[in-house]
Amino acid sequence: MEYRKNDIVTLKIEDCGIDGEGIGKADGFTVFVKDAVIGDTVRAKIMKAKKNYGYGRMEEILTPSPDRVEPKCQFARQCGGCQLQALSYEKQLEFKTAKVRGHLERIGGFTDLPMEEILGMEQPFHYRNKAQFPVGRSKDGRIITGFYAGRTHSIIENRDCALGVTQNKEVLDCVIAHMEKFHIQPYDETTGKGLVRHVLIRYGFFTDEMMVCLIINGEKLPGEEALVKSLREIPQTTSVMVNVNKKRNNVILGEKVRLLWGQPYITDKIGEISYQISPLSFFQVNPYQTGRLYGKALEYAELSGNETVWDLYCGIGTISLFLAQQAKMVRGVEIIPAAIGNAKENARLNGFENTEFFVGKAEEVLPAQYARTGERADVIVVDPPRKGCDETLLATIIEMQPDRVVYVSCDSATLARDLKYLCERGYELKKVCPVDMFPNTVSVETVAQLEKREDGSL
Ligand code: SAH
């Protein structure tokens, strides 16, 4: 049967798509329904119809799934941040495991997967150490802050996101009160006028240091001293800054940062290692799970202290320093020069003398260094962005023949593609472990261990 736009269908949700949407069938016609959960029976309105499938909007839950839970956040459905809050955490972990498994089997062609149990959190809320709140005006003219609704730039007012730290609300209350008192206008994207664009808050989970950075469309903020004074009443505040962004685009941060009070960075720890984090640095957002992710990468590297290791796509050297605790030498490569600056500084701060960092593309630096020195690597670790590794890089890895490759991935589809390449050329997939870095969202990280086949067979 074919359906058209605006038709109403009743569906039993039997599957979950990779974006967390519910999938059900009505007379052989597949319907994707955002916010529906496996096990629900729902009434949905078809919003868009193709020949054999369509997209529906959930109108009513007729019978709720036994795995449905009350979302902790009242804005979970509208907000673009969380997709899975209505699903029990146990089922979220099952969903993520199945997603990784599905990609490795379908794209990677792997069978008998050596999968370890997913590393989930005990408390899957309030785990984010960073939040960026857009500031704007409500329809009735009040200054508001919150999060963008899914795929739009309209702000859903919410100062108390369930994924962030509880101090966020205190900071936002303080900033908005200051704006009202000093008649400071929020930035308006449509006109390019107004001053305050975003509030960035970073929190050190293991040090309780907090940075507040206002992103402004100008150089100065009225009443800077008064703002510092009121923010300092929150005991965790250790730095207050402004970041200047006068460009009319979607990029949140500009390049210029001015310190109003305190330290120009916060420090946080992952395991035994301290990292300095400035407003512009990339740092994993879930510090509890980051320790477990890097711990897994370190475990899979199987280091004894004599190894030469490459850490490709190293960012600010977070994984590199973790590895340096147990390796002879670690070499990191990263495309962003400022991140390499941070990596070197972090190595120095923690007293590591067995690290070296290179600015450039992994797929260019590694072949060039190998051609120059001819030095072999015992272990190569990669942690690429979503698009995965460049094929030139994979070819260089094959040429260098490390004993092990540890692949840290934020996209299991490109992970599967790259593992297939390596396993067709002499490597064997030994272990895979998904890690839940982003509970309540559909994202999942994965760590995989590959070993060179002893007999060199394909
Ligand atoms: N391992 C780090 C960062 C991982 S994010 C951590 O865990 O914190 C991926 C990193 O790859 C980003 O820092 C990005 O800037 C960098 N990157 C993207 N393309 C790259 C390339 N072709 N070569 C090297 N680094 C690249």
Side-chain angles (χ1 to χ4, degrees), residues 282-284 293-294 311-319 333-336 339 360-363 383-385 387:
F282 173 85
F283 193 68
Q284 293 279 2
L293 178 78
Y294 294 171
D311 176 24
L312 307 174
Y313 311 89
C314 70
I316 61 167
T318 28
I319 298 180
V333 184
E334 160 64 43
I335 200 167
I336 297 177
K361 290 185 178 166
E363 61 272 25
D383 182 10
K387 67 175 193 230

PDB file of all heavy atoms in Angstrom, residues 282-284 293-294 311-319 333-336 339 360-363 383-385 387, ligand 1:
ATOM      1  N   PHE A 282      40.423  22.071  21.801  1.00  0.00           N
ATOM      2  CA  PHE A 282      39.552  20.902  21.749  1.00  0.00           C
ATOM      3  C   PHE A 282      39.876  20.025  22.952  1.00  0.00           C
ATOM      4  O   PHE A 282      41.030  19.710  23.218  1.00  0.00           O
ATOM      5  CB  PHE A 282      39.796  20.091  20.470  1.00  0.00           C
ATOM      6  CG  PHE A 282      39.035  18.787  20.478  1.00  0.00           C
ATOM      7  CD1 PHE A 282      37.714  18.747  20.067  1.00  0.00           C
ATOM      8  CD2 PHE A 282      39.615  17.616  20.953  1.00  0.00           C
ATOM      9  CE1 PHE A 282      36.990  17.569  20.114  1.00  0.00           C
ATOM     10  CE2 PHE A 282      38.896  16.431  21.010  1.00  0.00           C
ATOM     11  CZ  PHE A 282      37.586  16.405  20.587  1.00  0.00           C
ATOM     12  N   PHE A 283      38.849  19.648  23.686  1.00  0.00           N
ATOM     13  CA  PHE A 283      39.055  18.715  24.791  1.00  0.00           C
ATOM     14  C   PHE A 283      37.810  17.847  24.845  1.00  0.00           C
ATOM     15  O   PHE A 283      36.702  18.354  24.681  1.00  0.00           O
ATOM     16  CB  PHE A 283      39.230  19.497  26.105  1.00  0.00           C
ATOM     17  CG  PHE A 283      39.744  18.665  27.240  1.00  0.00           C
ATOM     18  CD1 PHE A 283      41.038  18.168  27.211  1.00  0.00           C
ATOM     19  CD2 PHE A 283      38.939  18.363  28.330  1.00  0.00           C
ATOM     20  CE1 PHE A 283      41.516  17.390  28.268  1.00  0.00           C
ATOM     21  CE2 PHE A 283      39.415  17.592  29.383  1.00  0.00           C
ATOM     22  CZ  PHE A 283      40.710  17.105  29.351  1.00  0.00           C
ATOM     23  N   GLN A 284      37.988  16.560  25.041  1.00  0.00           N
ATOM     24  CA  GLN A 284      36.822  15.672  25.088  1.00  0.00           C
ATOM     25  C   GLN A 284      35.824  16.186  26.114  1.00  0.00           C
ATOM     26  O   GLN A 284      36.227  16.654  27.181  1.00  0.00           O
ATOM     27  CB  GLN A 284      37.268  14.256  25.459  1.00  0.00           C
ATOM     28  CG  GLN A 284      38.123  13.585  24.398  1.00  0.00           C
ATOM     29  CD  GLN A 284      37.291  12.990  23.279  1.00  0.00           C
ATOM     30  OE1 GLN A 284      36.067  13.098  23.251  1.00  0.00           O
ATOM     31  NE2 GLN A 284      37.976  12.376  22.331  1.00  0.00           N
ATOM     32  N   LEU A 293      38.021   5.630  27.850  1.00  0.00           N
ATOM     33  CA  LEU A 293      38.335   5.476  26.421  1.00  0.00           C
ATOM     34  C   LEU A 293      39.846   5.398  26.209  1.00  0.00           C
ATOM     35  O   LEU A 293      40.356   4.501  25.541  1.00  0.00           O
ATOM     36  CB  LEU A 293      37.758   6.664  25.640  1.00  0.00           C
ATOM     37  CG  LEU A 293      38.022   6.704  24.140  1.00  0.00           C
ATOM     38  CD1 LEU A 293      37.095   5.746  23.406  1.00  0.00           C
ATOM     39  CD2 LEU A 293      37.811   8.112  23.573  1.00  0.00           C
ATOM     40  N   TYR A 294      40.574   6.343  26.804  1.00  0.00           N
ATOM     41  CA  TYR A 294      42.024   6.354  26.638  1.00  0.00           C
ATOM     42  C   TYR A 294      42.642   5.138  27.341  1.00  0.00           C
ATOM     43  O   TYR A 294      43.641   4.585  26.884  1.00  0.00           O
ATOM     44  CB  TYR A 294      42.626   7.635  27.212  1.00  0.00           C
ATOM     45  CG  TYR A 294      42.237   8.897  26.476  1.00  0.00           C
ATOM     46  CD1 TYR A 294      42.561  10.142  26.981  1.00  0.00           C
ATOM     47  CD2 TYR A 294      41.549   8.846  25.260  1.00  0.00           C
ATOM     48  CE1 TYR A 294      42.205  11.320  26.316  1.00  0.00           C
ATOM     49  CE2 TYR A 294      41.182  10.006  24.593  1.00  0.00           C
ATOM     50  CZ  TYR A 294      41.506  11.236  25.136  1.00  0.00           C
ATOM     51  OH  TYR A 294      41.152  12.394  24.486  1.00  0.00           O
ATOM     52  N   ASP A 311      50.897   8.661  17.422  1.00  0.00           N
ATOM     53  CA  ASP A 311      49.511   8.992  17.756  1.00  0.00           C
ATOM     54  C   ASP A 311      49.040   9.995  16.704  1.00  0.00           C
ATOM     55  O   ASP A 311      49.406  11.172  16.753  1.00  0.00           O
ATOM     56  CB  ASP A 311      49.435   9.596  19.171  1.00  0.00           C
ATOM     57  CG  ASP A 311      48.018  10.049  19.533  1.00  0.00           C
ATOM     58  OD1 ASP A 311      47.054   9.527  18.944  1.00  0.00           O
ATOM     59  OD2 ASP A 311      47.885  10.937  20.398  1.00  0.00           O
ATOM     60  N   LEU A 312      48.269   9.513  15.748  1.00  0.00           N
ATOM     61  CA  LEU A 312      47.859  10.358  14.631  1.00  0.00           C
ATOM     62  C   LEU A 312      46.502  10.988  14.912  1.00  0.00           C
ATOM     63  O   LEU A 312      45.642  10.343  15.506  1.00  0.00           O
ATOM     64  CB  LEU A 312      47.818   9.522  13.350  1.00  0.00           C
ATOM     65  CG  LEU A 312      49.134   8.774  13.085  1.00  0.00           C
ATOM     66  CD1 LEU A 312      48.997   7.855  11.891  1.00  0.00           C
ATOM     67  CD2 LEU A 312      50.290   9.738  12.894  1.00  0.00           C
ATOM     68  N   TYR A 313      46.330  12.249  14.476  1.00  0.00           N
ATOM     69  CA  TYR A 313      45.145  13.058  14.814  1.00  0.00           C
ATOM     70  C   TYR A 313      45.141  13.277  16.333  1.00  0.00           C
ATOM     71  O   TYR A 313      44.172  12.974  17.013  1.00  0.00           O
ATOM     72  CB  TYR A 313      43.844  12.365  14.399  1.00  0.00           C
ATOM     73  CG  TYR A 313      43.812  11.846  12.983  1.00  0.00           C
ATOM     74  CD1 TYR A 313      44.267  10.557  12.680  1.00  0.00           C
ATOM     75  CD2 TYR A 313      43.326  12.645  11.960  1.00  0.00           C
ATOM     76  CE1 TYR A 313      44.231  10.082  11.376  1.00  0.00           C
ATOM     77  CE2 TYR A 313      43.281  12.173  10.662  1.00  0.00           C
ATOM     78  CZ  TYR A 313      43.736  10.891  10.379  1.00  0.00           C
ATOM     79  OH  TYR A 313      43.695  10.414   9.104  1.00  0.00           O
ATOM     80  N   CYS A 314      46.263  13.805  16.843  1.00  0.00           N
ATOM     81  CA  CYS A 314      46.462  13.790  18.301  1.00  0.00           C
ATOM     82  C   CYS A 314      45.823  14.945  19.046  1.00  0.00           C
ATOM     83  O   CYS A 314      45.830  14.958  20.282  1.00  0.00           O
ATOM     84  CB  CYS A 314      47.944  13.712  18.617  1.00  0.00           C
ATOM     85  SG  CYS A 314      48.826  15.224  18.212  1.00  0.00           S
ATOM     86  N   GLY A 315      45.260  15.957  18.343  1.00  0.00           N
ATOM     87  CA  GLY A 315      44.651  17.090  19.057  1.00  0.00           C
ATOM     88  C   GLY A 315      45.677  17.731  19.982  1.00  0.00           C
ATOM     89  O   GLY A 315      46.812  17.982  19.590  1.00  0.00           O
ATOM     90  N   ILE A 316      45.291  17.963  21.236  1.00  0.00           N
ATOM     91  CA  ILE A 316      46.207  18.599  22.197  1.00  0.00           C
ATOM     92  C   ILE A 316      47.084  17.560  22.909  1.00  0.00           C
ATOM     93  O   ILE A 316      47.629  17.811  23.976  1.00  0.00           O
ATOM     94  CB  ILE A 316      45.456  19.462  23.229  1.00  0.00           C
ATOM     95  CG1 ILE A 316      44.475  18.610  24.043  1.00  0.00           C
ATOM     96  CG2 ILE A 316      44.734  20.605  22.558  1.00  0.00           C
ATOM     97  CD1 ILE A 316      43.923  19.322  25.276  1.00  0.00           C
ATOM     98  N   GLY A 317      47.203  16.394  22.290  1.00  0.00           N
ATOM     99  CA  GLY A 317      48.133  15.385  22.813  1.00  0.00           C
ATOM    100  C   GLY A 317      47.583  14.556  23.952  1.00  0.00           C
ATOM    101  O   GLY A 317      48.341  13.954  24.722  1.00  0.00           O
ATOM    102  N   THR A 318      46.276  14.505  24.050  1.00  0.00           N
ATOM    103  CA  THR A 318      45.677  13.799  25.177  1.00  0.00           C
ATOM    104  C   THR A 318      46.020  12.307  25.180  1.00  0.00           C
ATOM    105  O   THR A 318      46.530  11.791  26.167  1.00  0.00           O
ATOM    106  CB  THR A 318      44.145  14.008  25.186  1.00  0.00           C
ATOM    107  OG1 THR A 318      43.715  14.226  23.854  1.00  0.00           O
ATOM    108  CG2 THR A 318      43.761  15.190  25.999  1.00  0.00           C
ATOM    109  N   ILE A 319      45.782  11.647  24.053  1.00  0.00           N
ATOM    110  CA  ILE A 319      46.094  10.213  24.007  1.00  0.00           C
ATOM    111  C   ILE A 319      47.615  10.018  24.015  1.00  0.00           C
ATOM    112  O   ILE A 319      48.133   9.110  24.674  1.00  0.00           O
ATOM    113  CB  ILE A 319      45.470   9.535  22.757  1.00  0.00           C
ATOM    114  CG1 ILE A 319      43.942   9.656  22.811  1.00  0.00           C
ATOM    115  CG2 ILE A 319      45.884   8.071  22.655  1.00  0.00           C
ATOM    116  CD1 ILE A 319      43.212   9.026  21.645  1.00  0.00           C
ATOM    117  N   VAL A 333      50.792  13.647  15.641  1.00  0.00           N
ATOM    118  CA  VAL A 333      50.576  14.488  14.460  1.00  0.00           C
ATOM    119  C   VAL A 333      49.174  15.079  14.510  1.00  0.00           C
ATOM    120  O   VAL A 333      48.210  14.359  14.783  1.00  0.00           O
ATOM    121  CB  VAL A 333      50.715  13.682  13.139  1.00  0.00           C
ATOM    122  CG1 VAL A 333      50.590  14.619  11.932  1.00  0.00           C
ATOM    123  CG2 VAL A 333      52.022  12.911  13.094  1.00  0.00           C
ATOM    124  N   GLU A 334      49.096  16.371  14.218  1.00  0.00           N
ATOM    125  CA  GLU A 334      47.806  17.067  14.271  1.00  0.00           C
ATOM    126  C   GLU A 334      47.847  18.238  13.301  1.00  0.00           C
ATOM    127  O   GLU A 334      48.854  18.922  13.183  1.00  0.00           O
ATOM    128  CB  GLU A 334      47.564  17.530  15.725  1.00  0.00           C
ATOM    129  CG  GLU A 334      46.572  18.624  15.934  1.00  0.00           C
ATOM    130  CD  GLU A 334      45.147  18.276  15.533  1.00  0.00           C
ATOM    131  OE1 GLU A 334      44.688  17.155  15.835  1.00  0.00           O
ATOM    132  OE2 GLU A 334      44.499  19.123  14.893  1.00  0.00           O
ATOM    133  N   ILE A 335      46.712  18.489  12.674  1.00  0.00           N
ATOM    134  CA  ILE A 335      46.656  19.500  11.610  1.00  0.00           C
ATOM    135  C   ILE A 335      46.576  20.935  12.145  1.00  0.00           C
ATOM    136  O   ILE A 335      46.990  21.880  11.481  1.00  0.00           O
ATOM    137  CB  ILE A 335      45.459  19.167  10.686  1.00  0.00           C
ATOM    138  CG1 ILE A 335      45.581  19.819   9.321  1.00  0.00           C
ATOM    139  CG2 ILE A 335      44.149  19.517  11.315  1.00  0.00           C
ATOM    140  CD1 ILE A 335      44.602  19.250   8.316  1.00  0.00           C
ATOM    141  N   ILE A 336      46.035  21.107  13.365  1.00  0.00           N
ATOM    142  CA  ILE A 336      45.859  22.478  13.882  1.00  0.00           C
ATOM    143  C   ILE A 336      47.072  22.906  14.709  1.00  0.00           C
ATOM    144  O   ILE A 336      47.383  22.315  15.750  1.00  0.00           O
ATOM    145  CB  ILE A 336      44.572  22.576  14.737  1.00  0.00           C
ATOM    146  CG1 ILE A 336      43.357  22.292  13.839  1.00  0.00           C
ATOM    147  CG2 ILE A 336      44.433  23.947  15.393  1.00  0.00           C
ATOM    148  CD1 ILE A 336      42.040  22.289  14.568  1.00  0.00           C
ATOM    149  N   ALA A 339      46.772  23.498  18.496  1.00  0.00           N
ATOM    150  CA  ALA A 339      46.608  22.275  19.285  1.00  0.00           C
ATOM    151  C   ALA A 339      47.968  21.644  19.562  1.00  0.00           C
ATOM    152  O   ALA A 339      48.229  21.147  20.664  1.00  0.00           O
ATOM    153  CB  ALA A 339      45.690  21.291  18.551  1.00  0.00           C
ATOM    154  N   GLY A 360      50.671  19.078  10.867  1.00  0.00           N
ATOM    155  CA  GLY A 360      50.465  18.714   9.458  1.00  0.00           C
ATOM    156  C   GLY A 360      49.403  17.657   9.331  1.00  0.00           C
ATOM    157  O   GLY A 360      48.802  17.228  10.323  1.00  0.00           O
ATOM    158  N   LYS A 361      49.176  17.264   8.074  1.00  0.00           N
ATOM    159  CA  LYS A 361      48.191  16.209   7.846  1.00  0.00           C
ATOM    160  C   LYS A 361      48.843  14.859   8.128  1.00  0.00           C
ATOM    161  O   LYS A 361      49.964  14.600   7.654  1.00  0.00           O
ATOM    162  CB  LYS A 361      47.739  16.224   6.386  1.00  0.00           C
ATOM    163  CG  LYS A 361      46.902  17.421   6.027  1.00  0.00           C
ATOM    164  CD  LYS A 361      46.398  17.296   4.609  1.00  0.00           C
ATOM    165  CE  LYS A 361      45.507  18.464   4.261  1.00  0.00           C
ATOM    166  NZ  LYS A 361      45.258  18.562   2.832  1.00  0.00           N
ATOM    167  N   ALA A 362      48.134  14.017   8.839  1.00  0.00           N
ATOM    168  CA  ALA A 362      48.672  12.692   9.170  1.00  0.00           C
ATOM    169  C   ALA A 362      49.109  11.968   7.899  1.00  0.00           C
ATOM    170  O   ALA A 362      50.174  11.337   7.859  1.00  0.00           O
ATOM    171  CB  ALA A 362      47.617  11.882   9.920  1.00  0.00           C
ATOM    172  N   GLU A 363      48.305  12.107   6.839  1.00  0.00           N
ATOM    173  CA  GLU A 363      48.589  11.376   5.596  1.00  0.00           C
ATOM    174  C   GLU A 363      49.784  11.949   4.841  1.00  0.00           C
ATOM    175  O   GLU A 363      50.254  11.348   3.881  1.00  0.00           O
ATOM    176  CB  GLU A 363      47.350  11.302   4.702  1.00  0.00           C
ATOM    177  CG  GLU A 363      46.783  12.624   4.224  1.00  0.00           C
ATOM    178  CD  GLU A 363      45.758  13.239   5.191  1.00  0.00           C
ATOM    179  OE1 GLU A 363      45.814  12.945   6.401  1.00  0.00           O
ATOM    180  OE2 GLU A 363      44.920  14.028   4.729  1.00  0.00           O
ATOM    181  N   ASP A 383      43.020   8.460  15.679  1.00  0.00           N
ATOM    182  CA  ASP A 383      41.755   8.945  16.246  1.00  0.00           C
ATOM    183  C   ASP A 383      41.205  10.020  15.314  1.00  0.00           C
ATOM    184  O   ASP A 383      41.182  11.201  15.653  1.00  0.00           O
ATOM    185  CB  ASP A 383      42.011   9.507  17.657  1.00  0.00           C
ATOM    186  CG  ASP A 383      40.735   9.995  18.339  1.00  0.00           C
ATOM    187  OD1 ASP A 383      39.627   9.739  17.827  1.00  0.00           O
ATOM    188  OD2 ASP A 383      40.848  10.640  19.394  1.00  0.00           O
ATOM    189  N   PRO A 384      40.808   9.617  14.100  1.00  0.00           N
ATOM    190  CA  PRO A 384      40.445  10.620  13.086  1.00  0.00           C
ATOM    191  C   PRO A 384      39.064  11.223  13.314  1.00  0.00           C
ATOM    192  O   PRO A 384      38.267  10.677  14.077  1.00  0.00           O
ATOM    193  CB  PRO A 384      40.439   9.794  11.792  1.00  0.00           C
ATOM    194  CG  PRO A 384      40.056   8.426  12.229  1.00  0.00           C
ATOM    195  CD  PRO A 384      40.648   8.249  13.608  1.00  0.00           C
ATOM    196  N   PRO A 385      38.765  12.349  12.628  1.00  0.00           N
ATOM    197  CA  PRO A 385      37.395  12.869  12.659  1.00  0.00           C
ATOM    198  C   PRO A 385      36.429  11.926  11.933  1.00  0.00           C
ATOM    199  O   PRO A 385      36.852  10.874  11.438  1.00  0.00           O
ATOM    200  CB  PRO A 385      37.507  14.218  11.941  1.00  0.00           C
ATOM    201  CG  PRO A 385      38.792  14.193  11.202  1.00  0.00           C
ATOM    202  CD  PRO A 385      39.673  13.171  11.837  1.00  0.00           C
ATOM    203  N   LYS A 387      35.129  11.506   9.141  1.00  0.00           N
ATOM    204  CA  LYS A 387      35.338  10.955   7.797  1.00  0.00           C
ATOM    205  C   LYS A 387      36.377   9.830   7.758  1.00  0.00           C
ATOM    206  O   LYS A 387      36.574   9.201   6.715  1.00  0.00           O
ATOM    207  CB  LYS A 387      35.671  12.060   6.803  1.00  0.00           C
ATOM    208  CG  LYS A 387      36.997  12.722   7.030  1.00  0.00           C
ATOM    209  CD  LYS A 387      37.264  13.717   5.897  1.00  0.00           C
ATOM    210  CE  LYS A 387      38.693  14.129   5.937  1.00  0.00           C
ATOM    211  NZ  LYS A 387      39.178  15.361   5.905  1.00  0.00           N
TER     212      LYS A 387
HETATM  213  N1  SAH B   1      42.985  12.439  19.845  1.00  0.00           N
HETATM  214  C1  SAH B   1      42.500  13.741  20.228  1.00  0.00           C
HETATM  215  C2  SAH B   1      41.702  14.487  19.132  1.00  0.00           C
HETATM  216  C3  SAH B   1      40.792  13.672  18.278  1.00  0.00           C
HETATM  217  S1  SAH B   1      39.700  14.636  17.298  1.00  0.00           S
HETATM  218  C4  SAH B   1      41.691  13.630  21.505  1.00  0.00           C
HETATM  219  O1  SAH B   1      41.245  12.562  21.877  1.00  0.00           O
HETATM  220  O2  SAH B   1      41.497  14.650  22.150  1.00  0.00           O
HETATM  221  C5  SAH B   1      40.438  14.533  15.704  1.00  0.00           C
HETATM  222  C6  SAH B   1      41.571  15.509  15.484  1.00  0.00           C
HETATM  223  O3  SAH B   1      42.080  15.310  14.155  1.00  0.00           O
HETATM  224  C7  SAH B   1      41.198  16.977  15.559  1.00  0.00           C
HETATM  225  O4  SAH B   1      42.039  17.594  16.503  1.00  0.00           O
HETATM  226  C8  SAH B   1      41.466  17.509  14.129  1.00  0.00           C
HETATM  227  O5  SAH B   1      41.955  18.823  14.126  1.00  0.00           O
HETATM  228  C9  SAH B   1      42.501  16.566  13.617  1.00  0.00           C
HETATM  229  N2  SAH B   1      42.629  16.375  12.156  1.00  0.00           N
HETATM  230  C10 SAH B   1      41.659  16.419  11.218  1.00  0.00           C
HETATM  231  N3  SAH B   1      42.138  16.068  10.016  1.00  0.00           N
HETATM  232  C11 SAH B   1      43.453  15.765  10.191  1.00  0.00           C
HETATM  233  C12 SAH B   1      44.489  15.308   9.319  1.00  0.00           C
HETATM  234  N4  SAH B   1      44.260  15.090   8.033  1.00  0.00           N
HETATM  235  N5  SAH B   1      45.698  15.082   9.851  1.00  0.00           N
HETATM  236  C13 SAH B   1      45.942  15.291  11.174  1.00  0.00           C
HETATM  237  N6  SAH B   1      44.998  15.723  12.025  1.00  0.00           N
HETATM  238  C14 SAH B   1      43.776  15.970  11.558  1.00  0.00           C
END
